[in-house]
């Protein structure tokens, strides 16, 4: 693996008595695409949010590009300028045009002038296939288009790392493909990416590595053909069987508990 762009060491995170992360160790090399999969409540999104300190770890260290994010004296705003984050929801300003949504953070955070910010906005809208929507407002766009605008907004800040938290989960199925196509393009460009996702086809085709989490720990970490194609652990196999055959998962959930012991 190339030099670590993201390094997570013995990371713990608790919310009150609920221990969500239980000692995570993970490294992501420069230019690597790592997809993080696992059931709801496994800690995937919390791990992602700890990388740019949207959640403050209870214990452990996080490094991005060699800078310790968890150092109490770190300039977190400077670190975050190197990290792009795309959420499930698009978080666009409805009263601003698409171009204005892209130029506002550039001008306020990076202090770019209006002309430079507009040029970079146009370049990144073209990058995600939405150059013709520069003057549109978010309400006139489909969910997939709004998510691509959100990706373009993150890219306009010139990040070294992109974090994606279930970027297609809020989209209608027919809109997912366009967003994943943009992400595939970023992977081909060599962008370092950490992606929390349930899109197994994307993980198989694009990820350099797949990390399976459950119960706040990493259960498996390896190539997609290993983790998805031939998982070593029963927990991984069970998760993938339910994810890839949801009809069967519903049947399982409808079966009454046996002897009051419950089912996994």
């Amino acid at each position: 693996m190339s030099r670590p762009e993201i390094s997570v060491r013995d990371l713990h995170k608790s919310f009150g008595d609920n221990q969500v992360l239980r000692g995570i160790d993970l490294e992501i090399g420069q230019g690597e695409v790592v997809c993080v999969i696992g059931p709801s409540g496994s800690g995937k999104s919390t791990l992602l949010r700890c990388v740019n300190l949207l959640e403050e770890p209870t214990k452990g260290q996080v490094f991005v590009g060699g800078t310790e994010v968890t150092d109490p004296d770190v300039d977190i705003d400077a670190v975050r300028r190197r990290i792009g984050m795309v959420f499930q929801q698009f978080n666009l300003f409805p009263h601003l045009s698409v171009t204005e949504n892209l130029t506002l953070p550039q001008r306020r955070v990076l202090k770019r002038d209006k002309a430079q910010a507009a040029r970079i906005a146009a370049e990144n809208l073209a990058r995600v296939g939405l150059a013709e929507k520069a003057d549109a407002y978010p309400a006139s766009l489909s969910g997939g288009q709004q998510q691509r605008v959100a990706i373009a907004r993150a890219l306009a800040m010139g990040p070294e790392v992109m974090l994606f938290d279930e970027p297609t989960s809020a989209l209608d199925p027919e809109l997912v493909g366009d967003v994943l196509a943009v992400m595939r393009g970023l992977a081909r460009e060599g962008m370092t990416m950490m992606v929390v996702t349930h899109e197994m086809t994307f993980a198989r085709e694009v990820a350099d590595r797949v990390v399976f989490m459950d119960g706040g720990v990493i259960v498996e970490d390896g190539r997609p053909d290993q983790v998805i194609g031939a998982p070593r652990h029963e927990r991984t196999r069970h998760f993938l069987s339910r994810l890839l055959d949801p009809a069967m998962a519903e049947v399982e959930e409808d079966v009454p508990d046996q002897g009051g012991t419950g089912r996994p």
Side-chain angles (χ1 to χ4, degrees), residues 29-47:
Q30 191 175 36
E32 254 197 321
V33 178
V34 173
C35 285
V36 183
I37 65 173
S40 297
S42 60
K44 309 181 301 296
S45 293
T46 299
L47 171 60

Side-chain angles (χ1 to χ4, degrees), residues 5 10 55 92 144 173 224:
E5 192 67 40
D10 192 29
E55 295 288 356
L92 301 177

Side-chain angles (χ1 to χ4, degrees), residues 54-73:
L54 289 178
E55 295 288 356
E56 187 170 345
T58 305
K59 176 187 174 185
Q61 295 174 294
V62 177
F63 296 82
V64 176
T67 300
E68 185 182 352
V69 178
T70 44
D71 183 339
D73 296 323

Side-chain angles (χ1 to χ4, degrees), residues 38-183:
S40 297
S42 60
K44 309 181 301 296
S45 293
T46 299
L47 171 60
L48 199 73
R49 292 170 67 86
C50 283
V51 170
N52 64 354
L53 223 62
L54 289 178
E55 295 288 356
E56 187 170 345
T58 305
K59 176 187 174 185
Q61 295 174 294
V62 177
F63 296 82
V64 176
T67 300
E68 185 182 352
V69 178
T70 44
D71 183 339
D73 296 323
V74 74
D75 183 348
I76 190 60
D77 291 332
V79 174
R80 284 180 179 148
R81 286 196 285 270
R82 299 160 58 186
I83 304 172
M85 181 99 182
V86 178
F87 300 89
Q88 298 177 27
Q89 302 300 325
F90 323 123
N91 299 321
L92 301 177
F93 292 112
H95 63 290
L96 299 181
S97 71
V98 165
T99 293
E100 289 167 337
N101 266 280
L102 267 67
T103 56
L104 181 65
Q106 294 183 65
R107 297 179 67 187
R108 287 196 175 176
V109 178
L110 302 180
K111 307 305 179 185
R112 289 172 178 161
D113 63 40
K114 184 175 181 180
Q116 183 186 22
R119 176 179 57 79
I120 292 172
E123 290 171 356
N124 283 286
L125 284 174
R127 200 173 174 185
V128 301
L130 291 174
E132 76 284 0
K133 299 294 185 180
D135 297 324
Y137 284 80
S140 70
L141 306 179
S142 70
Q145 289 171 332
Q146 290 187 61
Q147 189 62 294
R148 283 189 281 157
V149 171
I151 294 172
R153 178 181 57 189
L155 293 173
M157 303 297 284
E160 300 167 15
V161 172
M162 286 287 287
L163 309 178
F164 294 87
D165 187 8
E166 296 280 11
T168 60
S169 66
L171 303 179
D172 292 333
E174 68 269 21
L175 303 176
V176 169
D178 290 339
V179 173
L180 294 181
V182 169
M183 295 170 65

